[in-house]
């Protein structure tokens, strides 16, 4: 990361940014909208890497971690005079996925952005790696977060190596119900070849389906997978 911009400077501005967002008249609406899980958020390799993930119980804390990351990214964007690449700080997969839920609240987000004058920053084509997941202990993102808010929430801040290990566990489980991913050397997108019909019932990896929902695609949306330790 840049030798000219220090994590402490990003942290100081990020705290101000988050305070400004939280003071906005529609911030509570933004928070509640992101916490409302629905079948729109079908996801097999983001949220489910959280140990025994629960769509309802995890939403508040995951939102907190996500908006802190977004505040760091917005701060970096400002401090680099709009450098989108520099602003796409490394982050864990779960916060990256939640940021998609947040930016989907486009109308409210646009009004908050207009009132505060602070740009929300998220650009998939500027990310390193697949859906985030490039965060590592002690990197620039970690230093900036720690300077702003103290220790990260380890439940959601899953580093790059552990993210890949958990995704391999998910691969094995999904393969058992006929869902696989294709991956070319040096690339990241997943392609699902065969899945379980929407509206089917069941469980995923022995974890209970949460929120009274039925699984869609490969049954991963409300998965409560308990990852083995190594």
């Amino acid at each position: 990361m840049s030798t000219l911009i220090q994590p402490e400077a990003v942290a100081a501005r990020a705290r101000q940014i988050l305070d400004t967002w939280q003071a906005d008249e529609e911030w509570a609406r933004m928070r509640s909208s992101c916490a409302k899980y629905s079948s729109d958020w079908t996801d097999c390799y983001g949220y489910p890497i959280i140990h025994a993930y629960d769509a309802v119980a995890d939403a508040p804390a995951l939102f907190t971690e996500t908006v802190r990351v977004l505040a760091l990214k917005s701060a970096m964007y400002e401090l680099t005079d709009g450098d989108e690449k520099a602003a796409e700080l490394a982050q864990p997969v779960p916060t990256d996925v939640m940021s998609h839920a947040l930016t989907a609240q486009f109308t409210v987000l646009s009004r908050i952005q207009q009132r505060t004058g602070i740009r929300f920053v998220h650009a998939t084509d500027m990310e390193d790696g697949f859906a985030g997941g490039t965060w590592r202990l002690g990197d620039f993102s970690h230093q900036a977060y720690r300077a702003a808010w103290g220790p990260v929430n380890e439940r959601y801040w899953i580093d790059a190596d552990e993210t890949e290990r958990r995704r391999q566990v998910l691969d094995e489980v999904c393969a058992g119900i006929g869902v696989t991913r294709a991956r070319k050397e040096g690339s990241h997108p997943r392609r699902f070849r065969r899945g379980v019909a929407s509206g089917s019932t069941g469980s995923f990896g022995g974890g209970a389906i949460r929120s009274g929902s039925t699984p869609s695609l490969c049954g991963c949306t409300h998965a409560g997978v308990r990852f083995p330790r190594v």
Side-chain angles (χ1 to χ4, degrees), residues 61-78:
L62 186 52
F63 179 80
T64 295
E65 296 306 308
T66 300
V67 296
R68 286 176 174 180
V69 171
L70 288 172
L72 291 171
K73 290 167 64 175
S74 292
M76 192 66 175
Y77 184 82
E78 290 182 0

Side-chain angles (χ1 to χ4, degrees), residues 10-32:
V10 177
R13 179 56 184 146
R15 285 195 301 269
Q16 295 172 348
I17 287 172
L18 187 54
D19 287 345
T20 301
W21 284 342
Q22 291 175 331
D24 186 86
E25 62 192 64
E26 290 191 279
W27 188 252
R29 179 183 174 187
M30 172 73 76
R31 183 177 60 248
S32 62

Side-chain angles (χ1 to χ4, degrees), residues 84-134:
E84 290 186 71
K85 181 63 177 175
E88 280 302 326
L89 298 174
Q91 63 176 312
V93 169
T95 64
D96 183 74
V97 176
M98 174 61 86
S99 68
H100 299 163
L102 189 145
T103 54
Q105 315 309 316
F106 183 75
T107 307
V108 174
L109 190 71
S110 296
R111 288 197 293 265
I112 294 175
Q113 185 169 263
Q114 184 176 23
R115 282 191 295 267
T116 63
I118 299 168
R119 184 70 57 90
F120 284 87
V121 179
H122 187 76
T124 301
D125 63 331
M126 296 292 176
E127 292 177 343
D128 291 323
F130 174 74
T134 55

Side-chain angles (χ1 to χ4, degrees), residues 118-169:
I118 299 168
R119 184 70 57 90
F120 284 87
V121 179
H122 187 76
T124 301
D125 63 331
M126 296 292 176
E127 292 177 343
D128 291 323
F130 174 74
T134 55
W135 170 75
R136 293 184 182 278
L137 187 71
D139 68 5
F140 188 92
S141 297
H142 192 194
Q143 293 177 52
Y145 183 105
R146 201 163 44 198
W149 297 290
V152 299
N153 186 328
E154 294 181 359
R155 177 164 175 77
Y156 308 108
W157 284 78
I158 305 163
D159 70 16
D161 292 340
E162 179 63 11
T163 292
E164 183 57 28
R165 188 188 75 83
R166 294 188 186 190
R167 281 178 163 166
Q168 289 175 9
V169 173

Side-chain angles (χ1 to χ4, degrees), residues 52-63:
Y53 167 68
D54 186 303
V56 175
D58 280 305
L62 186 52
F63 179 80

